[in-house]
Amino acid sequence: MLIQHICISNAEYINILAKESSGNMSKIDIGFTELLQPADGACVDFISNSLTQIAKLKNSSLARFYFEDKDISNQPALVEWLQIKKTSLRNILCTYVADRNESIFGHGISSTNLFLDIDIIEYILEKLKFYLPESKGEDTLFFS
């Protein structure tokens, strides 16, 4: 649900930025129809594309944190699960969605053990909250 909320918030924010931009809507280089697809990774792709678009419209490095490889060696659950010590938030999300989609337990249920799964989700939540916009007015969203 958090991933879907970020997608919708990003789509709304892009719409606001595009209207405020000195150019026209042709600056928007993103397919909003991705949001209509089943949760097979389309939302993670949309987050990647929308963060890049927001960064372009705002002329900022907002998306860099999402794409940059970070040291995760202080996260034993992630290291155990991924078998690597450095990766990006995008790669973690893609891997987690793929794991849940390809799980032997059925679509949407992770194949990791419960405690490892909770650690992974907590890490993802902690990192993704950075991309949730805050409302600072009736119809205005801002990234913190």
Side-chain angles (χ1 to χ4, degrees):
M1 286 175 39
L2 175 68
I3 292 172
Q4 291 168 336
H5 181 69
I6 290 172
C7 288
I8 298 303
S9 296
N10 284 359
E12 290 175 347
Y13 193 49
I14 288 169
N15 187 42
I16 290 167
L17 289 174
K19 287 178 183 176
E20 293 173 352
S21 128
S22 59
N24 58 29
M25 292 296 277
S26 65
K27 280 186 159 183
I28 303 301
D29 184 24
I30 191 167
F32 292 103
T33 56
E34 292 176 32
L35 296 177
L36 301 174
Q37 302 304 315
D40 61 353
C43 286
V44 173
D45 290 339
F46 186 85
I47 290 174
S48 301
N49 296 337
S50 64
L51 286 174
T52 301
Q53 187 64 45
I54 290 167
K56 279 188 211 174
L57 289 167
K58 287 188 61 80
N59 195 21
S60 76
S61 59
L62 174 74
R64 183 175 42 167
F65 177 77
Y66 181 76
F67 292 102
E68 278 183 344
D69 282 347
K70 300 285 185 194
D71 182 10
I72 59 166
S73 58
N74 63 343
Q75 301 290 327
L78 289 177
V79 172
E80 177 185 337
W81 174 56
L82 297 169
Q83 299 296 305
I84 56 176
K85 294 185 179 183
K86 197 170 187 181
T87 191
S88 69
L89 180 56
R90 182 189 188 287
N91 289 340
I92 291 170
L93 279 173
C94 288
T95 304
Y96 192 67
V97 168
D99 180 61
R100 292 175 61 91
N101 288 346
E102 297 167 6
S103 167
I104 60 171
F105 300 109
H107 183 80
I109 300 172
S110 176
S111 64
T112 64
N113 72 56
L114 176 61
F115 297 107
L116 179 59
D117 206 38
I118 290 170
D119 286 343
I120 294 165
I121 291 169
E122 285 176 350
Y123 179 84
I124 290 170
L125 288 173
E126 176 64 28
K127 298 303 179 184
L128 280 180
K129 72 180 183 184
F130 177 76
Y131 295 107
L132 287 170
E134 294 179 12
S135 175
K136 296 187 179 177
E138 287 184 25
D139 294 325
T140 308
L141 298 173
F142 294 90
F143 284 98
S144 1

